[in-house]
mmCIF file of all heavy atoms in Angstrom:
data_model
loop_
_atom_site.group_PDB
_atom_site.id
_atom_site.type_symbol
_atom_site.label_atom_id
_atom_site.label_comp_id
_atom_site.label_asym_id
_atom_site.label_seq_id
_atom_site.Cartn_x
_atom_site.Cartn_y
_atom_site.Cartn_z
ATOM 1 N N VAL A 390 132.306 174.520 23.453
ATOM 2 C CA VAL A 390 132.308 174.779 24.895
ATOM 3 C C VAL A 390 133.026 176.108 25.181
ATOM 4 O O VAL A 390 132.555 176.941 25.957
ATOM 5 C CB VAL A 390 132.986 173.606 25.662
ATOM 6 C CG1 VAL A 390 133.173 173.953 27.141
ATOM 7 C CG2 VAL A 390 132.169 172.328 25.513
ATOM 8 N N ILE A 391 134.156 176.314 24.519
ATOM 9 C CA ILE A 391 134.898 177.585 24.689
ATOM 10 C C ILE A 391 133.976 178.757 24.340
ATOM 11 O O ILE A 391 133.888 179.747 25.084
ATOM 12 C CB ILE A 391 136.152 177.602 23.775
ATOM 13 C CG1 ILE A 391 137.166 176.557 24.253
ATOM 14 C CG2 ILE A 391 136.788 179.001 23.736
ATOM 15 C CD1 ILE A 391 138.351 176.337 23.305
ATOM 16 N N ASN A 392 133.269 178.622 23.225
ATOM 17 C CA ASN A 392 132.383 179.714 22.783
ATOM 18 C C ASN A 392 131.215 179.938 23.739
ATOM 19 O O ASN A 392 130.797 181.072 23.955
ATOM 20 C CB ASN A 392 131.871 179.442 21.364
ATOM 21 C CG ASN A 392 133.002 179.551 20.350
ATOM 22 O OD1 ASN A 392 134.041 180.151 20.651
ATOM 23 N ND2 ASN A 392 132.826 178.962 19.174
ATOM 24 N N ASP A 393 130.707 178.845 24.334
ATOM 25 C CA ASP A 393 129.622 178.981 25.321
ATOM 26 C C ASP A 393 130.054 179.875 26.485
ATOM 27 O O ASP A 393 129.324 180.767 26.906
ATOM 28 C CB ASP A 393 129.274 177.605 25.930
ATOM 29 C CG ASP A 393 128.364 176.785 25.020
ATOM 30 O OD1 ASP A 393 128.000 177.280 23.940
ATOM 31 O OD2 ASP A 393 128.033 175.645 25.423
ATOM 32 N N TYR A 394 131.237 179.578 27.015
ATOM 33 C CA TYR A 394 131.715 180.368 28.160
ATOM 34 C C TYR A 394 131.991 181.810 27.749
ATOM 35 O O TYR A 394 131.663 182.751 28.480
ATOM 36 C CB TYR A 394 132.975 179.737 28.781
ATOM 37 C CG TYR A 394 132.640 178.579 29.694
ATOM 38 C CD1 TYR A 394 132.642 177.272 29.223
ATOM 39 C CD2 TYR A 394 132.302 178.799 31.027
ATOM 40 C CE1 TYR A 394 132.321 176.205 30.051
ATOM 41 C CE2 TYR A 394 131.979 177.746 31.867
ATOM 42 C CZ TYR A 394 131.990 176.443 31.375
ATOM 43 O OH TYR A 394 131.663 175.409 32.197
ATOM 44 N N LYS A 395 132.592 181.976 26.563
ATOM 45 C CA LYS A 395 132.875 183.331 26.065
ATOM 46 C C LYS A 395 131.590 184.140 26.013
ATOM 47 O O LYS A 395 131.531 185.282 26.483
ATOM 48 C CB LYS A 395 133.457 183.241 24.641
ATOM 49 C CG LYS A 395 134.948 183.401 24.589
ATOM 50 C CD LYS A 395 135.360 183.650 23.139
ATOM 51 C CE LYS A 395 136.829 183.300 22.970
ATOM 52 N NZ LYS A 395 137.172 182.833 21.637
ATOM 53 N N ALA A 396 130.553 183.539 25.449
ATOM 54 C CA ALA A 396 129.273 184.247 25.305
ATOM 55 C C ALA A 396 128.688 184.567 26.683
ATOM 56 O O ALA A 396 128.184 185.663 26.911
ATOM 57 C CB ALA A 396 128.302 183.399 24.486
ATOM 58 N N ALA A 397 128.781 183.609 27.602
ATOM 59 C CA ALA A 397 128.218 183.846 28.942
ATOM 60 C C ALA A 397 128.927 185.017 29.621
ATOM 61 O O ALA A 397 128.280 185.889 30.205
ATOM 62 C CB ALA A 397 128.342 182.581 29.785
ATOM 63 N N PHE A 398 130.263 185.049 29.528
ATOM 64 C CA PHE A 398 131.002 186.133 30.186
ATOM 65 C C PHE A 398 130.802 187.467 29.464
ATOM 66 O O PHE A 398 130.827 188.525 30.065
ATOM 67 C CB PHE A 398 132.493 185.797 30.286
ATOM 68 C CG PHE A 398 132.792 184.684 31.262
ATOM 69 C CD1 PHE A 398 133.561 183.587 30.892
ATOM 70 C CD2 PHE A 398 132.289 184.731 32.556
ATOM 71 C CE1 PHE A 398 133.829 182.562 31.786
ATOM 72 C CE2 PHE A 398 132.549 183.709 33.468
ATOM 73 C CZ PHE A 398 133.320 182.623 33.076
ATOM 74 N N MET A 399 130.605 187.398 28.159
ATOM 75 C CA MET A 399 130.424 188.636 27.400
ATOM 76 C C MET A 399 129.034 189.231 27.665
ATOM 77 O O MET A 399 128.889 190.434 27.833
ATOM 78 C CB MET A 399 130.562 188.326 25.906
ATOM 79 C CG MET A 399 130.632 189.559 25.042
ATOM 80 S SD MET A 399 132.103 189.530 24.058
ATOM 81 C CE MET A 399 131.736 188.214 22.920
ATOM 82 N N ASN A 400 128.021 188.350 27.745
ATOM 83 C CA ASN A 400 126.646 188.866 27.769
ATOM 84 C C ASN A 400 125.946 188.820 29.118
ATOM 85 O O ASN A 400 125.035 189.592 29.354
ATOM 86 C CB ASN A 400 125.761 188.074 26.785
ATOM 87 C CG ASN A 400 126.364 188.059 25.400
ATOM 88 O OD1 ASN A 400 126.945 189.062 24.985
ATOM 89 N ND2 ASN A 400 126.244 186.944 24.694
ATOM 90 N N SER A 401 126.335 187.878 29.993
ATOM 91 C CA SER A 401 125.443 187.664 31.135
ATOM 92 C C SER A 401 126.069 187.719 32.519
ATOM 93 O O SER A 401 125.413 188.132 33.466
ATOM 94 C CB SER A 401 124.750 186.302 31.022
ATOM 95 O OG SER A 401 124.487 185.968 29.704
ATOM 96 N N CYS A 402 127.281 187.218 32.708
ATOM 97 C CA CYS A 402 127.754 187.074 34.092
ATOM 98 C C CYS A 402 129.256 187.328 34.226
ATOM 99 O O CYS A 402 129.988 187.345 33.234
ATOM 100 C CB CYS A 402 127.418 185.672 34.610
ATOM 101 S SG CYS A 402 128.286 184.377 33.735
ATOM 102 N N ASP A 403 129.682 187.505 35.483
ATOM 103 C CA ASP A 403 131.108 187.703 35.765
ATOM 104 C C ASP A 403 131.762 186.401 36.202
ATOM 105 O O ASP A 403 132.950 186.178 35.976
ATOM 106 C CB ASP A 403 131.277 188.736 36.896
ATOM 107 C CG ASP A 403 130.590 190.043 36.546
ATOM 108 O OD1 ASP A 403 130.976 190.645 35.534
ATOM 109 O OD2 ASP A 403 129.644 190.440 37.262
ATOM 110 N N VAL A 404 130.968 185.568 36.879
ATOM 111 C CA VAL A 404 131.482 184.319 37.451
ATOM 112 C C VAL A 404 130.438 183.242 37.193
ATOM 113 O O VAL A 404 129.240 183.516 37.285
ATOM 114 C CB VAL A 404 131.664 184.486 38.986
ATOM 115 C CG1 VAL A 404 131.992 183.173 39.649
ATOM 116 C CG2 VAL A 404 132.729 185.524 39.309
ATOM 117 N N VAL A 405 130.881 182.031 36.860
ATOM 118 C CA VAL A 405 129.934 180.909 36.754
ATOM 119 C C VAL A 405 130.036 180.097 38.047
ATOM 120 O O VAL A 405 131.141 179.734 38.479
ATOM 121 C CB VAL A 405 130.249 180.014 35.533
ATOM 122 C CG1 VAL A 405 129.333 178.792 35.516
ATOM 123 C CG2 VAL A 405 130.105 180.798 34.239
ATOM 124 N N LEU A 406 128.887 179.841 38.660
ATOM 125 C CA LEU A 406 128.864 179.138 39.946
ATOM 126 C C LEU A 406 128.199 177.773 39.802
ATOM 127 O O LEU A 406 127.087 177.664 39.276
ATOM 128 C CB LEU A 406 128.085 179.971 40.975
ATOM 129 C CG LEU A 406 127.921 179.363 42.361
ATOM 130 C CD1 LEU A 406 129.229 179.458 43.150
ATOM 131 C CD2 LEU A 406 126.799 180.054 43.144
ATOM 132 N N THR A 407 128.892 176.749 40.279
ATOM 133 C CA THR A 407 128.311 175.392 40.371
ATOM 134 C C THR A 407 128.879 174.757 41.648
ATOM 135 O O THR A 407 129.846 175.278 42.195
ATOM 136 C CB THR A 407 128.727 174.468 39.196
ATOM 137 O OG1 THR A 407 130.156 174.285 39.237
ATOM 138 C CG2 THR A 407 128.316 175.013 37.850
ATOM 139 N N PRO A 408 128.319 173.633 42.079
ATOM 140 C CA PRO A 408 129.056 172.869 43.093
ATOM 141 C C PRO A 408 130.348 172.354 42.441
ATOM 142 O O PRO A 408 130.458 172.335 41.212
ATOM 143 C CB PRO A 408 128.122 171.703 43.411
ATOM 144 C CG PRO A 408 126.778 172.090 42.873
ATOM 145 C CD PRO A 408 127.040 173.006 41.722
ATOM 146 N N VAL A 409 131.318 171.941 43.238
ATOM 147 C CA VAL A 409 132.535 171.351 42.666
ATOM 148 C C VAL A 409 132.225 169.943 42.154
ATOM 149 O O VAL A 409 132.663 169.537 41.090
ATOM 150 C CB VAL A 409 133.673 171.281 43.719
ATOM 151 C CG1 VAL A 409 134.915 170.643 43.111
ATOM 152 C CG2 VAL A 409 133.997 172.660 44.267
ATOM 153 N N SER A 410 131.463 169.213 42.952
ATOM 154 C CA SER A 410 131.159 167.814 42.621
ATOM 155 C C SER A 410 129.680 167.554 42.865
ATOM 156 O O SER A 410 129.072 168.183 43.722
ATOM 157 C CB SER A 410 131.925 166.863 43.542
ATOM 158 O OG SER A 410 133.280 167.159 43.501
ATOM 159 N N PRO A 411 129.119 166.588 42.149
ATOM 160 C CA PRO A 411 127.703 166.281 42.355
ATOM 161 C C PRO A 411 127.415 165.557 43.668
ATOM 162 O O PRO A 411 126.268 165.477 44.089
ATOM 163 C CB PRO A 411 127.356 165.384 41.157
ATOM 164 C CG PRO A 411 128.644 164.886 40.615
ATOM 165 C CD PRO A 411 129.719 165.852 41.019
ATOM 166 N N THR A 412 128.453 165.019 44.323
ATOM 167 C CA THR A 412 128.250 164.272 45.575
ATOM 168 C C THR A 412 129.281 164.686 46.616
ATOM 169 O O THR A 412 130.273 165.318 46.274
ATOM 170 C CB THR A 412 128.426 162.742 45.370
ATOM 171 O OG1 THR A 412 129.827 162.496 45.084
ATOM 172 C CG2 THR A 412 127.590 162.206 44.233
#
Side-chain angles (χ1 to χ4, degrees):
V390 172
I391 292 171
N392 291 341
D393 279 359
Y394 280 94
K395 259 194 201 150
F398 290 129
M399 190 124 70
N400 306 323
S401 326
C402 65
D403 304 299
V404 171
V405 175
L406 178 75
T407 63
V409 179
S410 306
T412 68

